[in-house]
Amino acid sequence: MDRRTALKMISAGAAMWGAGCLSVEEAGPIDFELLNFTEDTHQVDVTITDEDGNSVLEETYKIEERRDGTRAIQEEEFTEATNGETFDIVVALSDGEPEEWGFRVTCNESDETPDVFFAEIRETHDREHTYVEFQQSTCSGDL
């Protein structure tokens, strides 16, 4: 085998080996949903930042009180991400302290279950305290 043939074989083998190791995951859409489970209307400031500290969603919403079910505001596909990327979300009710949570994208490219960050406005049974809960996010691990 001459040197040129050997180099071609090595190059072809390296390209094939690298193809399996260098598979690049495409970014998929991320959704956000704000839910109101209380009997009060709220003004809510929402900021979601990526791992580099860039704001990917910064909005103020007015969400009506619960009537015959939960009220919801949806931001579909507000950004894109790959599995493993993390985001921070800060939600501030007009009458309370900001609450913060972290999310890790884990189900990108799944047609069945998209990554959805949920922020739920809830209140205690005696209605004395209103708070934000983040535990229901689908296909996302909390940080």
Side-chain angles (χ1 to χ4, degrees), residues 49-107:
T49 54
D50 64 16
E51 27 189 53
D52 295 325
N54 300 313
S55 178
V56 294
L57 179 68
E58 190 168 356
E59 292 290 335
T60 299
Y61 303 100
K62 180 179 179 181
I63 188 166
E64 298 294 324
E65 73 273 5
R66 174 182 69 182
R67 280 187 244 134
D68 299 325
T70 305
R71 293 291 181 166
I73 293 175
Q74 298 176 323
E75 291 283 351
E76 294 183 359
E77 301 180 4
F78 72 89
T79 193
E80 291 189 345
T82 58
N83 287 333
E85 286 188 60
T86 58
F87 293 88
D88 288 319
I89 180 171
V90 177
V91 176
L93 301 175
S94 58
D95 58 351
E97 293 293 315
E99 298 187 45
E100 185 173 358
W101 198 257
F103 298 97
R104 179 181 319 276
V105 176
T106 58
C107 66

Side-chain angles (χ1 to χ4, degrees), residues 4 8 20-21 34 37 60 70:
R4 177 173 274 169
K8 284 182 183 178
C21 294
L34 177 65
F37 288 94
T60 299
T70 305

Side-chain angles (χ1 to χ4, degrees), residues 37-56:
F37 288 94
T38 73
E39 295 178 17
D40 296 313
T41 297
H42 297 279
Q43 181 166 317
V44 185
D45 294 323
V46 175
T47 304
I48 300 177
T49 54
D50 64 16
E51 27 189 53
D52 295 325
N54 300 313
S55 178
V56 294

